[in-house]
């Protein structure tokens, strides 16, 4: 069968001329990132589905070698199993409704759960029985992360010890897990969490199935240098130094998919130093203001017009009527950009499409695949680049 080829970004603009934003998936990049994690992490790599559950993303990651998935809800489990019937799904949300535990176990045969409180152990035992693995999540200090997830989940170390003993005493298999926080830029975060894991394991002194080191690996937004191979090597060294011999799991989301998607948006109006575009914080750009992320971008002049201006950080207004829908310089574009021009924003794979709301009727539902590698990976990460379309 002839391999299917997908259109280029320029031809999407020329042929479709959509006035709504287009979310672009780059399968080759996703496959490459999946292979990098699978090769360099000495354990099982679970993709954190919440980060981007689109079927094009799941498919590309599975082609790159991902076979296990961190899921947090029944719809996420369903999305994975619909596309990949043999996938291993872990139900790793620490707080679950009884109905969700029931359906996960009964309909999908899930046997891996996460808890950070005794009541959750009770629920799982009552509903799913004892032939399950229950991983106890402990809190980390969240240092250096844009999102400190331990402000919501994770038992304090002493409590984690107690929970592990309860899981073991009840005849369930036990595991241990943590999350250093999302977009974690502290190089020592995994090492200090691993030290805490060892202390907990020593005190609990119960057999464990695995140690799951969670997600948190960063994406290379502007100004952020990321060397995933070096990070994974450092984690492997720490595991060795600390004498951890348990099977390892990790649950990357952002670092696996950020690079593999972009967003094509259009300028609907220019007012001086501000541009009004057709995507904003209620769509795929909801993280921009929280993390102060700056994305690589390239602009396409309307009707083949050449853009020659210097890179400029515009104030960018999203399409909704809400005055909060505004971002200060989320990307740089040529300063001669005008109404009708297009901007492709890179590094958009993580927590973008998954968080888009459809507020005010602005729905981002056109998702297309493009072959090859995107511009910000081909060149030395240009922050702004102008592209002239063939007429
Ligand atoms: N695992 C769990 C349990 C999470 O809650 C998250 C994110 O919220 C992830 C993995 C993925 O984290 P990241 O995208 O920072 O890698």
């Amino acid at each position: 069968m002839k391999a299917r080829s997908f259109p280029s970004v320029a031809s999407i603009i020329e042929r479709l001329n959509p006035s709504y934003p287009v979310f672009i998936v780059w399968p080759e990049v996703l496959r490459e990132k999946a292979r990098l994690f699978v090769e360099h992490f000495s354990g099982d790599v679970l993709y954190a589905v919440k980060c981007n559950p689109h079927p094009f993303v799941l498919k590309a990651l599975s082609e790159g070698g991902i076979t296990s998935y961190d899921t947090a809800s029944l719809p996420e489990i369903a999305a994975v199993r619909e596309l990949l019937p043999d996938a291993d799904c872990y139900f790793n949300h620490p707080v679950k409704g009884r109905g969700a535990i029931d359906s996960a176990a009964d309909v999908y045969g899930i046997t891996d759960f996460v808890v950070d409180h005794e009541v959750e152990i009770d629920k799982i035992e009552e509903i799913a029985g004892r032939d399950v693995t229950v991983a106890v999540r402990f809190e980390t200090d969240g240092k250096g992360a844009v999102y400190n997830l331990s402000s919501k989940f994770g038992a304090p170390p002493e409590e984690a010890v107690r929970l592990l003993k309860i899981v073991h005493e009840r005849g369930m298999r036990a595991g241990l897990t943590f999350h250093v926080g999302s977009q974690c830029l502290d190089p020592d975060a995994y090492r200090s969490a691993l030290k805490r894991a060892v202390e907990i394991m020593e005190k609990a002194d119960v057999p464990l199935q695995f140690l799951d080191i969670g997600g948190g690996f960063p994406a290379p937004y502007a100004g952020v240098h990321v060397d995933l191979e070096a990070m994974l090597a450092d984690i492997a060294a720490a595991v060795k130094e600390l004498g951890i011999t348990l099977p390892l799991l990790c649950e990357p989301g952002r670092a696996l998919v950020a690079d593999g998607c972009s967003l094509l948006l259009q300028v609907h109006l220019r007012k001086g130093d501000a541009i009004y575009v057709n995507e904003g914080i209620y769509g795929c750009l909801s993280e921009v203001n929280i993390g102060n992320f700056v994305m690589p971008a390239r602009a396409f002049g309307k009707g083949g017009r050449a853009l020659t201006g210097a890179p400029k950080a515009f104030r960018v207004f999203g399409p909704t009527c809400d005055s909060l829908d505004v971002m200060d310089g989320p990307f740089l574009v040529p300063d001669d950009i005008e109404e009708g021009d297009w901007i492709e924003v890179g590094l958009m794979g993580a927590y973008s499409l998954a968080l888009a709301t459809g507020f005010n009727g602005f729905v981002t539902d056109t998702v297309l695949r493009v072959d090859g590698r995107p511009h910000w990976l081909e060149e030395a990460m240009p922050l702004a680049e102008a592209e002239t379309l063939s007429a």
Side-chain angles (χ1 to χ4, degrees), residues 48 50-51 70 92 137 149 179 181-183 214-217 251-255 351:
K50 59 179 76 68
C51 194
D70 153 35
N92 284 355
R137 177 158 161 183
L149 301 178
H179 196 300
S182 199
Q183 185 68 6
F217 303 89
E251 303 171 3
R254 186 185 299 279
Y351 306 106

Side-chain angles (χ1 to χ4, degrees), residues 81-134:
R81 284 286 174 76
E82 179 68 27
L83 196 70
L84 308 161
D86 299 328
D88 270 336
C89 289
Y90 291 66
F91 200 169
N92 284 355
H93 194 308
V95 182
K96 294 165 283 298
R98 287 175 182 270
I101 298 172
D102 191 25
S103 298
D106 199 35
V107 179
Y108 297 105
I110 306 291
T111 54
D112 282 277
F113 299 90
V114 164
V115 300
D116 67 0
H117 195 278
E118 188 174 346
V119 170
E120 288 294 311
I121 304 177
D122 297 341
K123 284 192 219 170
I124 293 166
E125 185 185 12
E126 279 167 38
I127 300 164
R130 292 181 170 169
D131 188 12
V132 292
T133 304
V134 177

